[in-house]
Amino acid sequence: MSRNIYFAGSIRGGRDDRELYHRIIQQLKQYGQVFTEHVADPALEKDLNTDDKEIHDRDMEWLHKSDALVAECTQTSLGVGYEIGRAVALNKKILCLYRPQTGKRLSAMIRGAEGDGSPLICKDYKEELPEILKTFFASL
Ligand SMILES: O=c1[nH]c(=O)n([C@H]2C[C@H](O)[C@@H](COP(=O)(O)O)O2)cc1CO
């Protein structure tokens, strides 16, 4: 079944994982339409003068229309955290992906939002992303 999917990844929070976002988005496309392909766009780095209100309002509209939010949370980003919070409030299904690293931990406000009927789950991963996505979308 085709879904509307919102992918969240760091932009102004730092672009170290941009190529990884591209690979995740390619995998997400087998499960539905991804509204936010631009998150992996290398041209965005040069385009930081786009109107912020337009970006925010467009993205919130996409989030409302989405069945699921998939967020790569390893690179800390205020925008990604905000999107996750808004998605929780909208009771969207949320998958937070995190690559464990020594000396760093995922925010307690994300990891701690799991459980007790929450629509959010966190998955630590290295290589096993296809299986994690398959299980997540099968559960929707
Ligand atoms: O230009 C943008 N376009 C855009 O869609 N976003 C959204 C999508 C990303 O999942 C998230 C990134 O937030 P941030 O830029 O704070 O790292 O915010 C964020 C920006 C810049 O803040």
Side-chain angles (χ1 to χ4, degrees):
M1 189 207 221
S2 185
R3 317 271 183 180
N4 290 329
I5 304 165
Y6 191 107
F7 174 76
S10 173
I11 296 176
R12 296 187 193 172
R15 297 296 274 162
D16 292 355
D17 286 342
R18 186 191 62 73
E19 286 177 21
L20 172 64
Y21 302 157
H22 176 73
R23 294 197 295 278
I24 295 173
I25 289 166
Q26 295 317 302
Q27 292 185 49
L28 288 174
K29 283 182 180 176
Q30 13 170 341
Y31 300 102
Q33 183 189 0
V34 181
F35 287 133
T36 52
E37 275 201 68
H38 66 282
V39 173
D41 184 351
L44 259 187
E45 273 113 290
K46 297 183 242 119
D47 189 27
L48 293 182
N49 295 321
T50 319
D51 184 74
D52 289 348
K53 176 98 185 118
E54 264 175 46
I55 293 169
H56 173 274
D57 293 356
R58 177 204 61 194
D59 285 7
M60 285 304 107
E61 203 179 313
W62 279 334
L63 190 60
H64 273 88
K65 287 186 196 154
S66 294
D67 300 298
L69 167 73
V70 175
E72 218 298 349
C73 298
T74 313
Q75 170 79 67
T76 305
S77 153
L78 280 171
V80 173
Y82 176 81
E83 288 163 339
I84 292 169
R86 293 293 302 259
V88 169
L90 290 167
N91 208 31
K92 301 289 180 184
K93 296 290 181 190
I94 305 159
L95 173 63
C96 296
L97 300 167
Y98 185 74
R99 304 191 315 288
Q101 302 164 18
T102 39
K104 277 186 82 178
R105 286 175 75 185
L106 179 59
S107 169
M109 298 308 290
I110 303 300
R111 181 91 67 196
E114 271 190 299
D116 298 332
S118 166
L120 178 151
I121 56 168
C122 293
K123 288 283 177 198
D124 291 337
Y125 74 105
K126 283 185 188 143
E127 306 296 330
E128 60 281 32
L129 195 56
E131 202 50 46
I132 291 171
L133 295 180
K134 192 171 164 194
T135 307
F136 174 71
F137 284 102
S139 77
L140 294 192

